[in-house]
Amino acid sequence: MQVLMLGSIGLPVTSGVVLLAFSLSQRLKAAGRVERTEEEGKLQEGGAWLYAYVFIALICSVGFSMAAAWWGNGSVTVFQLLDTISIYFHVDETGRLFMTIISIIWPVVGIYSVPYMRREGGEKRYYAFFLLAYGMLTGFVYAGNLITMYLFYELITLVSMPLVLHNGTREAVRAGRKYLFYSLCGAYCGLFGIFFLYRYCGSMNFTPGGTLEYAMVSGHEDIVLLAVFVMLLGFGVKAGMLPLHAWLPTAHPVAPSPASAALSSVIVKAGVIAIIRVIFYVVGREFLQGTWVQYTWMTLALLTVFMGSMLAYREQGFKKRLAYSTVSQVSYILFGLSLMTSDALSGALLHVIAHGFIKCGLFLTAGVFLHYYGYGRVEQLRGIGKKMPLVLGCFTLFSLGLIGIPPTLGFLSKWYLAQGALQSQIPVFSWLGPMILLISAFLTAGYLLPVTINGFFPGEETSDLEHTGQKDKTDWGMGISLLLLAVFTLLPGIFPKPLLQFVSEAATIILK
Amino acid sequence: MKEIIMLLVVILPVFSGILMPMLPFRTRRQMLFYLEAVVCINSVLVLMLLFGLPKGSLTLFRFTGNLSVTFRMDGLGALFAGMAAILWPLAMLYSFEYMKHEDNEGSFFLFYLITYGVTLGVALSENILTMYFFFEMLSLVTLPLVLHTRTREAVLAARTYLYYMLGGAAFAFIGMVFILVYGTTSSFVPGGVLDAAKIGEKSLMLLLIYVLCFCGFSVKTAMWPFSAWLPKAGVAPTPVTALLHAVAVVNTGAFAVMRVTYFSFGSGLLRGTWAQKLVMALVIFTIVYGCSRAVKETHLKRRLAWSTISNLSYMLFGVVLMTPLGLTGAMAHMLFHSFMKICSFFCVGAVICETDRHYVHEINGLGWKMPKVFGCFAISALALMGVPGLCGFVSKWNLAKAAVASEMPMAYAGVAALMISALLTAIYMMDIVIRAFSPGKVSHSEGERNVRDSNWKMLLPLGIFVVIMFYFGLCSGPIIKLLTSFSNGC
């Protein structure tokens, strides 16, 4: 059991470090020589053995982490970090859910990366950080106390930054910096709260229902509430919540497309997990229900939902539009959490799954267009459906999912979110929430469907696409990954029973 | 016997320093060998003391009554002395390489050696008079080091340095006189020595004197508004800036503040008074101010100097919490910050030595030329930011824990200041790291071709510091337990 846990974190990290060391040593050798630029490019190129290495490492890691997730409740203490706090991992229902999503998305993105990154260059470095990020995410999801979680939260930031500044242009470096500093700002806000929770909580270990000691808190409610609020804002940075969302539309689009897909579908969820852990596993919802913290949080989440959609609607850069859409969609989840009722929580968890698959798919399709035609702006995609009907078809499916049209998974999650809001009996928000969700759904349709429509029906205008190459020359790697994601979006929507059962059970445990 | 060693470790470096000009060295190698030997022997002696703390004290001579020059080693002193003993041999080794590029090596090493003895004198002093004596001495023997390059800039910096130091000492003197008059003894006793009966109604004066004395000693830690001297003193050769102006001299200031607060005035008398709030406000402001100036500064060494100012105020923040927990945090940060900051300074020094570049925008892409140096720099940057697993996190954790436990609203603001400062630290340190490794595709100039990593004399200290940073970060239990035992009873 313990071997599985440690292996699931240790294996991807070690293999990533080995690959990174190899890539660095080659780069340094090249840097030592006089004529460098040409050779350096070649040295970073992959080959069959690189893909074999990466995929064996990735598949073993996924195997380890899935085995750790589904074979009983394991927990393992690694060593004492501070006087009273140890690095401690524990598998629970939240961890199981998130880890499964991550373990599906990561190999899919990996397959897609093979053809994509071959052109982009710097493959060894890319895969090294790709593996490292998987390891850090595993550690983060399985973290059993706040300090362990905080440690991996920072590490995720540090290993995912190189993915953002991968292509090394001035713009990418600037975006990478912005990403780093926003994320660290969030992490330090989180740490600020951890200091206070350490004093007022019985234990830092995650326990459903929270560990706050009311006897100690009495008289200090204000500062504890403030600390929790600062933590929400801080961890909300990763989830792209207002007011600190500005990094997301800058950082996600400049990364190579598979990396943006991973960032936007999975790494933003790190913020969601952190908030779930803090609110439901450490502080406990009773303490927050009906306080100004809950109301402010809801307001911020709803504002983000609305603002994100509006900004996406008027954005013309394709990947940037998707990034704004992430800002908006992740706040659906945060809104669901802020309601703190069973149905809303189920909806939030479902939306984690739905948004994970859908946003990953959307970014990957955007990557396909970028890869083959170099088209990064929405108006350039007019008529693209004639060339790549399959890809645009997948895109349409993902769009429908994000808007929330049955029978996709997106419909289910939104249904539960709205139902939870209506049942919550919180004044104003119980009807305002669903309304804003609805408006945002219209906006989502408004910013995604025109791509499909113009793609398939370009109208009178003749586009230069007419003259380029053969029809739908998508690489099999890219095609397979898109189809897989399409299946994952559609299938749970058609057969929702087991998933719904699992999610509602998880929600009951979390809300205990 | 052990008591004699205490005297020996103070005297040995001072005399061997003074002896240096008279010794007939035929080659540079001989001189370096002599220096390293003296420093190593002295460090071994200090470490011997650490592993068997001498119980008694040693009075060198007595003026009148309770005015004497006396040495004794308690927990806090042992910590400071141990730190110096680890750092000096490594810094000496580093400066052998660095000073090749500067003139007047002889006078540099002379004063560098003497400073070692004087710093140990501060650490081992048993009473406030002895400490004050060595405190003043330290200002004087480090002055020639600031003046070293003899440029106009250096002269101006040295002048500023001297004025600030002497001014600070004057304020500290007031505090000393007060303790001698109103205290039961001049020795350092955990919990303070002030006689409540003698003070009576004069508690307002007591607090005022404390504030003056605190400010006086804090000049050495470069607390705002006394911070201007430290960035200016960056004109000195890097071994000086690294060891003295980031560790020894500035820590002497923090050490002296700890002594007067917990061992002379007594934290019990000061807790909850306006004096505590006033100095805490100054300290919190300095934490943020230092970092903000560091972000704005583009000169590498001056940027690190501003960072030192901010970090020294972390320690002072722990001190002015006036609780044993706070003192533990302060001591932890004193210890850990030394390693982190000396490491980053040495990296910058190595870059300056190799490429003669002094500004942040000049180091674009250098990380691939000097990977080991910049690797160490990156690790020290992460440590300063407070990433868990490195030592910076441990001391920050203890400081914040103490602040939250004190339940003072202003201490809460202090925790917020620590976090803001951590973010600013990330900005000014990671800026350098990102520039070095990911320059954003700039063309490389001709002069860069021959840039190489430094040799072992520079890399060995860096490697040791990195190991220490990881060690304390991952395995902080024993050292924190030890520090807690030192601060118990204060």
Side-chain angles (χ1 to χ4, degrees), chain B residues 204-217:
Chain B
L204 182 66
M205 191 180 75
L206 164 88
L207 297 178
L208 190 66
I209 299 281
Y210 174 73
V211 172
L212 288 182
C213 181
F214 182 91
C215 291
F217 282 123

Side-chain angles (χ1 to χ4, degrees), chain B residues 4 24 29 34 68 99 143 162 177 215 283 286 313 318 328 333 356 359 362 366 423 431 434 439 441 466 477 488:
Chain B
I4 300 290
R29 234 182 128 78
Y34 168 74
S68 63
M99 292 310 286
L143 185 69
L162 189 65
V177 171
C215 291
V283 165
T286 313
S313 281
T328 309
H333 199 64
D356 199 28
Y359 286 91
E362 291 172 334
L366 272 188
L423 177 63
D431 176 41
I434 295 175
K441 296 219 169 116
V466 166
N488 269 343

Side-chain angles (χ1 to χ4, degrees), chain A residues 24-25 27-29 31-32, chain B residues 347 351 365-379 436-437 451-454 459 462:
Chain A
L24 283 184
S25 71
R27 168 134 194 211
L28 287 174
K29 238 182 267 166
Chain B
C347 292
V351 174
L366 272 188
W368 297 109
K369 299 282 179 184
M370 309 177 71
K372 290 181 195 132
V373 170
F374 274 98
C376 294
F377 185 86
I379 290 168
F437 284 107
V451 174
R452 289 268 185 284
D453 251 330
S454 320
L459 289 178
L462 292 178

